[in-house]
Amino acid sequence: MIESLLIANRGEIACRIVRTARRMGVRTVAVCSEVDRNALHARLADEAVVIGPASARESYLNIGAILKAARETGAAAVHPGYGFLSENADFAQACRDDGLVFVGPSPDAIRAMGSKSASKEIMRTAGVPLVPGYHGADQDPAVLQRAADGIGYPVLVKASAGGGGRGMRVVERADQFEAAVAAAKREAKAAFGDDTVLIEKYLQRPRHVEVQVFGDSHGNAIHLFERDCSIQRRHQKVFEESPAPGLPDATRRAMGAAAVAAAKAIDYSGAGTVEFLLGQDGGFYFIEMNTRLQVEHPVTELVTGLDLVEWQLRVASGEPLPLRQDDVRQDGHAIEVRLYAEDPGRGFLPQTGTLNRLTMPAEGPHVRVDTGVREGDAISVHYDPMIAKLIVWDHDRPAAVRRLTKALAATVIGGVNTNRQYLLEIAAHPAFAAGEVDTGFIDRHAGDLLPSSQPASDRVLALAACQVLIERRAAVAAAAARSADPWSPWNLTNGWRLNGEAVETVRFRDGDAPVEIAVRHRGAGWRLTLPGGEMDASAEAEADGTLAADLGGRRIRAAVIADGDTVIVMDGGRAHRLLRHDPAAAAAQDTGGGKLTSPMPGKIVRVLAKAGDTVRRGTPLIVLEAMKMEHTIAAPGDGTVERIAFQVGDMVEEGVELVAISAT
Ligand code: MV4
C-alpha cells in the first residue's frame, strides 16, 4: 500500500480523501494556496504545504509547485481529486516521470477520453452505443445535408470544439438545415476558432444517466451501477441519485455492460464514469467518459456500501479490484444535492462572504455531509462556491426524498445567500416525487422553484400555527413537570385564565409580509383567526414527524418542519417557508449580553424555566401578557438560565430584566 499521499486539491474533496487515507493508515500531505492556510483541508491533513497565491493558476493548477511539494514532503503518490488537474494528462505524466504514483488512469487513457471525436470512435469500435450521427471531417454542406437527411429530423448540430452544451442547435426540418449549419459554423468559428460541426439525432428531453466504473492494473473492470444526474441547471448538476428512477433492470444491465466494455477498450485503471444519454424511447447512448472520481461519487458509496477512495488507493498500489461484479450490490436509494453560495433570486449569481452561521444536519446512517468549510470560513471569489454536499440514503426513493427534505430543513447557513430553499422546492415538487426526472426538469418547473410571491394560504398558515402551538404546549407541559406544583392552574396548557378568555398570538413573516394569527383555546384545540377568517383547528405531532391535523373538520396529514426560526410546511407537493416572527423575542434578542428584558409593560403569565436549566436557542422561557396579547420570551441562544427574576402574576415594567442566561 502507498504510504503517503499528496492531495492536489482543496475543499470538500480534499477533506474526504484525507478521511479515507487516515483510516487506511496512509500519511496525508495537503497543498494549499496562501488564502487557504487555515482551510479545513490543510488543517485535517498530517502536513500542509503552501504552494502559491490564491489564484488557482498559480497554486492548485501549478504542476511545478505541486511536484516540488511532493518531493519536499516525501509523498509517494498524488491524488488529484476532481476539477483542477484531475483530467490533465500532462500532470499524470509528470507525476510518473517524478516517480510518483498518480491515483488515476494512465495519461494515455486520459488523453483518449479528452477528445470528443476520438473517444466516440474508440467506443464505436468497442460496440458501445452512440447517438446516430455524423462526425466526419468532410464539412461540405451537401455532405452534411445528406447526413442529416439520413439520420432523420430533428437533428442536433454541435460544434466539435464545443463543450458543456455550448454551440448546440436543433434543426426540426430538412429545409431549415442549410441555414442552421451556416449559423452554427459562424458561431463555432467565433467562439472556438474552429467551425467543424457534427450532426446527431436530437433526443428530446433525454436523461443523463452515468455508470461508475472501476478498473485495475490486472485487466479487470467492473461497474458500480448508475447515477441519474438529469436535474441540471445550465449543464451544472443539481441533484444526483442512484438508482435511476424507473430504469428497467434490463437497461441497467445493458448500460453496465456497455460501460465495462468502454473501460476495457482503453485498458482503464482506477475510478471512471461513463456518461450516457437515455432517450425517451429507452435507448441509451455514450456521450463521454470522465477519467476521475466525480463530485457525486457518494451516491454510489451509499447504495453499494463501498469506499471509492479506498478502492482508488488500492488499485493505484497495484492491488486487484476488491470485489467481482457479482459481489457488488445496489441497495436502497441515495440522493445528493449540492449547496452553493449563490442567489437563485438573481440568476444564481455566485455569492461571496463569511459563513457566520453553518449548521448542517446530524450525520448518521441516513445522512452524510461532505464539506470543506466550517462556520466563520469565507466563500471567496477564487474558488468554486460550493459549501457542502448533502447525501441521504433510505430503503426506497420516497423515504430518501423525505430524508432529504428534513436534512435540507435542518441546514442553516448564514452570511451568504444559498440555493437551500431552491433545493427544498425541488425535493418537495410532485414531479420529483413521481420520478419525472429528465434534463428539462428545471426549465419545465422553473415557475414553481423560485420563491413565490403568492402569500401562504390559510391552510398553510393554520398548519404552521398548529406546529408552533404544539411546541408551546410541550414546553409548558415540560415546565409543569419540573415545577413544584404540577397541578397549579398556571401550568395548564389549555390557556386557562382567571378572568375572561385569553388570546394568544402566533406571528410569522411570509416573505416580506408579517402575518398575525390570534388563537383562542377550544378544548383540546384552537380557534384561529386567519387572514381569510376563523378556523377551528387541532393537531398532534406523529412519531414519524408529520402533523396529523383537523382543520375546520377536515383531517389533514402534512409534514411541518420546525427549524430554528423557520417553519416549513409541505403541502400540496410544495414547500412553504414561514419565518417565526416574534417581536417580543426579537426585542429581547436585541438587548444582547444574555439578558432578556421586558419589551413592554405587562403581567407574567407563565414561567417555563428555572435557574440552572439548560436551554437552546428558541426555548420559550417566560410568557408575558400585555395589551390582551401573550408574548413569549425565548432564549436568544444556547445557554444556561442564571436566574429568573419574576413569578407568575408579577407585573413588570418595560425594559426590566426578566431572565439572565449565560451562553454555553
Ligand atoms: C444531446 C442532447 C440531445 N440530443 N445530444 C448537453 C451537453 C453535452 N454533454 C450533451 N448535451 C446534450 N446532448 C443529442 N443528440 C441533449 C443534451 C442536453 C443535456 C445532456 C445532459 C445533461 C443535461 C443536458 C441539458 C440539455 C441538453
Side-chain angles (χ1 to χ4, degrees):
M1 176 55 57
I2 295 162
E3 280 184 7
S4 56
L5 178 68
L6 181 141
I7 300 156
N9 215 301
R10 65 181 302 283
E12 61 90 14
I13 189 60
C15 296
R16 190 255 165 277
I17 294 164
V18 169
R19 223 175 302 129
T20 290
R22 171 142 318 142
R23 185 173 57 70
M24 294 174 72
V26 176
R27 182 171 71 91
T28 54
V29 177
V31 293
C32 61
S33 69
E34 281 158 13
V35 293
D36 272 348
R37 247 172 234 284
N38 293 313
L40 197 56
H41 81 279
R43 284 299 165 104
L44 284 182
D46 295 316
E47 205 173 332
V49 183
V50 179
I51 53 168
S55 152
R57 201 168 43 79
E58 296 176 81
S59 49
Y60 299 105
L61 289 170
N62 184 341
I63 295 178
I66 291 168
L67 294 177
K68 180 163 169 277
R71 272 194 299 277
E72 285 172 2
T73 56
V78 174
H79 195 309
Y82 57 73
F84 294 127
L85 295 167
S86 61
E87 291 182 289
N88 184 316
D90 295 338
F91 180 57
Q93 186 63 55
C95 288
R96 284 193 170 189
D97 294 346
D98 260 20
L100 293 161
V101 173
F102 179 76
V103 181
S106 67
D108 284 348
I110 298 174
R111 238 174 240 122
M113 294 300 109
S115 151
K116 265 201 157 97
S117 47
S119 67
K120 284 192 171 152
E121 225 22 72
I122 294 169
M123 293 309 154
R124 187 199 310 284
T125 310
V128 178
L130 301 180
V131 186
Y134 173 81
H135 301 97
D138 188 346
Q139 295 280 305
D140 180 75
V143 170
L144 295 175
Q145 176 89 53
R146 264 200 305 281
D149 294 349
I151 292 163
Y153 296 86
V155 297
L156 190 65
V157 181
K158 289 187 186 177
S160 290
R166 290 191 307 160
M168 302 201 320
R169 194 171 276 260
V170 181
V171 185
E172 303 282 350
R173 299 198 318 259
D175 62 342
Q176 299 166 337
F177 184 78
E178 199 179 328
V181 165
K185 281 185 169 291
R186 273 195 306 275
E187 274 176 23
K189 184 86 192 165
F192 314 112
D194 174 356
D195 71 354
T196 312
V197 294
L198 51 88
I199 319 290
E200 278 182 3
K201 176 86 193 157
Y202 177 63
L203 307 174
Q204 227 108 28
R205 289 203 271 113
R207 285 166 66 176
H208 172 124
V209 179
E210 57 185 34
V211 178
Q212 177 71 54
V213 293
F214 245 100
D216 64 20
S217 54
H218 307 275
N220 304 303
I222 64 171
H223 71 81
L224 305 179
F225 298 100
E226 82 283 6
R227 295 183 288 258
D228 191 316
C229 312
S230 299
I231 301 191
Q232 304 195 2
R233 218 197 107 263
R234 304 238 176 117
H235 305 288
Q236 293 282 332
K237 292 169 185 166
V238 181
F239 274 59
E240 299 109 357
E241 59 184 307
S242 184
L247 187 71
D249 235 7
T251 310
R252 173 172 294 113
R253 272 196 299 275
M255 291 180 91
V260 169
K264 288 195 165 163
I266 52 169
D267 199 15
Y268 198 77
S269 169
T273 297
V274 183
E275 293 187 351
F276 296 101
L277 292 181
L278 180 65
Q280 287 180 20
D281 59 356
F284 62 88
Y285 311 95
F286 172 86
I287 38 177
E288 60 182 75
M289 179 167 182
N290 298 310
T291 54
R292 59 167 194 279
L293 190 70
Q294 290 197 239
V295 179
E296 58 271 24
H297 77 276
V299 160
T300 299
E301 296 188 318
L302 292 194
V303 292
T304 60
L306 304 172
D307 181 332
L308 268 54
V309 173
E310 177 185 338
W311 277 40
Q312 285 188 298
L313 297 179
R314 288 190 182 288
V315 164
S317 302
E319 292 182 22
L321 291 175
L323 294 177
R324 287 168 313 183
Q325 187 69 65
D326 288 347
D327 299 326
V328 182
R329 290 269 172 283
Q330 191 181 30
D331 175 35
H333 199 98
I335 310 175
E336 175 180 283
V337 295
R338 306 176 186 195
L339 282 153
Y340 280 98
E342 62 184 14
D343 188 348
R346 289 196 294 153
F348 294 86
L349 202 67
Q351 304 286 292
T352 58
T354 301
L355 294 166
N356 54 39
R357 178 104 195 263
L358 182 62
T359 305
M360 297 301 296
E363 291 195 78
H366 294 283
V367 178
R368 168 170 164 184
V369 178
D370 278 18
T371 185
V373 290
R374 48 222 192 294
E375 203 166 87
D377 282 355
I379 301 292
S380 76
V381 294
H382 302 292
Y383 313 112
D384 185 81
M386 189 165 79
I387 298 167
K389 303 188 304 203
L390 200 53
I391 316 101
V392 297
W393 180 91
D394 215 317
H395 295 285
D396 58 26
R397 190 171 185 275
V401 173
R402 282 197 297 274
R403 294 273 179 203
L404 177 64
T405 310
K406 288 195 175 160
L408 280 168
T411 299
V412 186
I413 302 169
V416 291
N417 286 322
T418 75
N419 63 342
R420 186 190 80 128
Q421 179 65 15
Y422 186 77
L423 297 173
L424 202 47
E425 298 283 359
I426 295 175
H429 201 283
F432 182 69
E436 291 165 11
V437 291
D438 61 64
T439 49
F441 185 96
I442 297 241
D443 285 342
R444 197 157 65 244
H445 302 296
D448 298 339
L449 301 177
L450 289 171
S452 77
S453 48
Q454 288 264 326
S457 64
D458 275 9
R459 175 182 157 115
V460 165
L461 290 170
L463 288 166
C466 285
Q467 173 69 34
V468 170
L469 290 164
I470 285 175
E471 282 177 25
R472 286 189 191 168
R473 189 159 68 190
V476 172
R482 286 194 304 268
S483 89
D485 176 11
W487 308 113
S488 157
W490 297 113
N491 285 325
L492 286 179
T493 58
N494 62 358
W496 178 87
R497 285 294 174 283
L498 271 179
N499 47 3
E501 185 177 54
V503 180
E504 203 174 323
T505 47
V506 176
R507 291 189 180 82
F508 295 112
R509 186 166 278 280
D510 177 17
D512 289 331
V515 182
E516 188 170 300
I517 301 164
V519 181
R520 289 175 182 79
H521 290 256
R522 284 280 183 283
W526 311 281
R527 172 159 295 171
L528 309 176
T529 307
L530 297 157
E534 304 257 297
M535 184 189 288
D536 283 321
S538 63
E540 297 290 335
E542 300 281 294
D544 65 357
T546 59
L547 201 65
D550 183 314
L551 301 184
R554 272 180 68 188
R555 303 281 314 156
I556 290 170
R557 202 172 248 291
V560 181
I561 298 150
D563 160 33
D565 297 339
T566 306
V567 178
I568 293 158
V569 178
M570 311 279 293
D571 185 51
R574 296 282 317 276
H576 304 267
R577 184 167 56 147
L578 297 164
L579 274 182
R580 282 188 211 220
H581 179 59
D582 191 335
Q589 281 198 29
D590 287 347
T591 65
K595 274 191 200 166
L596 294 168
T597 54
S598 165
M600 57 196 94
K603 186 167 89 174
I604 307 291
V605 293
R606 282 183 224 157
V607 176
L608 305 171
K610 61 179 178 345
D613 281 358
T614 311
V615 294
R616 309 211 27 184
R617 189 166 112 96
T619 303
L621 303 171
I622 259 186
V623 182
L624 181 75
E625 187 178 290
M627 299 182 295
K628 284 266 171 215
M629 294 282 189
E630 286 194 355
H631 305 276
T632 304
I633 312 292
D638 298 354
T640 306
V641 176
E642 291 293 329
R643 71 184 164 278
I644 296 199
F646 295 95
Q647 295 175 351
V648 169
D650 286 347
M651 300 299 297
V652 296
E653 292 302 319
E654 183 180 350
V656 301
E657 183 194 294
L658 300 175
V659 183
I661 288 183
S662 61
T664 47

